[in-house]
Amino acid sequence: MPVNSFDDYPMSWKPKKELLTAPKYRALADLLADDILTGKLPPHTKLPPQRELADYLDLNLSTVTRAFQHCTQKGLIYGITGRGTFVSPNAAIDIAIADEKEEASYIEMGIIKPLDAFNTETFTVMEQVLRRSGISLLDYSYPMGTPYQRAAAQKWLAHFSIDVSQSNIAITAGAQNALAILLLTLFRPGDKIATDHYTYANFIELANLMQIRLVPISGDKEGILPDVLENHCRLQQLNGIYLVPNYHNPTGHIMSQSRKEALAAIIRKYQLLAIEDDIYGFLLEKPTLPLAHFAPDHTCYICSLSKSICSGLRIAYLTFPTRFAADIRRGIYNVNVKTASLNSETAGELIYSGAAQKIIQQKRIEAAARSEICKSYFPEIAAQTLGFSLWLPLPEMFYGTDFEHLAQKHGISVCHSHRFLVGDADAQQYLRIALSSPNSKEELAHGLSILRDLFTSDIHEKSFCI
């Protein structure tokens, strides 16, 4: 029994001591993971201090520290220097795709929906494809795509200055599928991949599932800083780097061509495998050359149609160096068998008919209009916003609240920056606000007005403490 009795001491988490079998750090980590994933420990719950927990369980402090480190690597908890350790908001819930709730009474500004009102054009083309090709699209043939579909992919990639042969293109079931295939086939458990300090939440989860370690690299308004990346390369063995260069999710930064060239030089020097996720590149009227242009032998480039054309089409084009061709084909065969031919054929028809470019132009216009609305509510922050989302600093008075819960109680759904966090938290906290998800510009304006009013209301109303 510990020197100090904790029987009546208020602790946010009291694991059962009798369940701590050897090795005890692993048993403690499993108990913590189970209580998080089953909802017993809600998001943002502050965990007991490690020393306090060690006294309560009569364990060495190093055992508790090791258990916490294990859960941190799995994305279940996060630490804030000087404030403690908390349950991650994305530990037990999936934020990328949510079941539609017709009865929901809030405005969706958390999940980024890609202006789904423009899906009618895709539906029309899909009907034409079905009438023309019908049952021939419903078998196992052409697992890597037909010559027509791969030629369409090649034509589309040329818009983004990607010039590769068809043999270096794979058609996947969306960007998420492409990321999973790359991590599964080209990396191993324990490998280290450099990322931005805040990055795509589902990439974090994929890495956690595959036991791949993400290493956060400091950045500025253009993203990862080359000198910081190189310092990390000197100090430890990095296997890869994950980048979202255009309208980065969640921060919205845009990487200049000179920054890409500088990063490419480091990638070549240290033989890193780069994953370039260009999910929002279509929003740029004149995109700069991609990272893949400067490090073609080290870069796998992903161009998804989910945000640019239609989310439900689930099509992305993945390019890769020839040396990875066999591994990636093997991954696609064993993960997908094939990407649905109806979707691939519809994508090809949209590209060759010019409908895809028409949809993109309409989305650019709508995104610009929504950005203008945003500027009227948050003018200083939104001045450079032209993307589908806004990275909004959270006022310090909210740092001790479950702001997502608070916002939803007031009628809006938003995402806190902890969902996108790799490593330790910054002193500053943020919200990612999806500008493209409300059903109309009027609904967007209403949601932004609620958020602005929350920011300026009295602190005593904000009683959802973590």
Side-chain angles (χ1 to χ4, degrees), residues 129-150:
V129 167
L130 273 171
R131 283 195 299 268
R132 184 184 68 216
S133 303
I135 198 169
S136 67
L137 299 174
L138 304 180
D139 58 26
Y140 276 146
S141 61
Y142 295 104
M144 296 295 288
T146 68
Y148 170 80
Q149 293 162 7
R150 290 158 72 84

Side-chain angles (χ1 to χ4, degrees), residues 6 9-15 46 48-49 52-53 56:
F6 286 79
Y9 188 78
M11 295 174 65
S12 60
W13 184 52
K14 289 186 175 183
K46 184 176 182 179
E52 188 175 287
L53 191 59
Y56 169 70

Side-chain angles (χ1 to χ4, degrees), residues 333-351:
Y333 293 155
N334 288 284
V335 173
N336 295 0
V337 178
K338 67 172 293 182
T339 301
S341 287
L342 174 58
N343 295 4
S344 299
E345 193 78 4
T346 299
E349 189 70 16
L350 285 163
I351 291 166

Side-chain angles (χ1 to χ4, degrees), residues 189-233:
D191 281 355
K192 297 179 181 179
I193 298 178
T195 70
D196 293 271
H197 189 54
Y198 293 101
T199 195
Y200 178 39
N202 288 75
F203 183 75
I204 297 173
E205 291 302 298
L206 278 174
N208 289 336
L209 285 170
M210 299 182 191
Q211 299 180 46
I212 293 169
R213 296 182 60 186
L214 299 184
V215 179
I217 308 296
S218 301
D220 59 12
K221 64 181 181 180
E222 291 189 22
I224 285 176
L225 289 164
D227 59 336
V228 178
L229 175 62
E230 183 153 26
N231 283 337
H232 276 272
C233 289

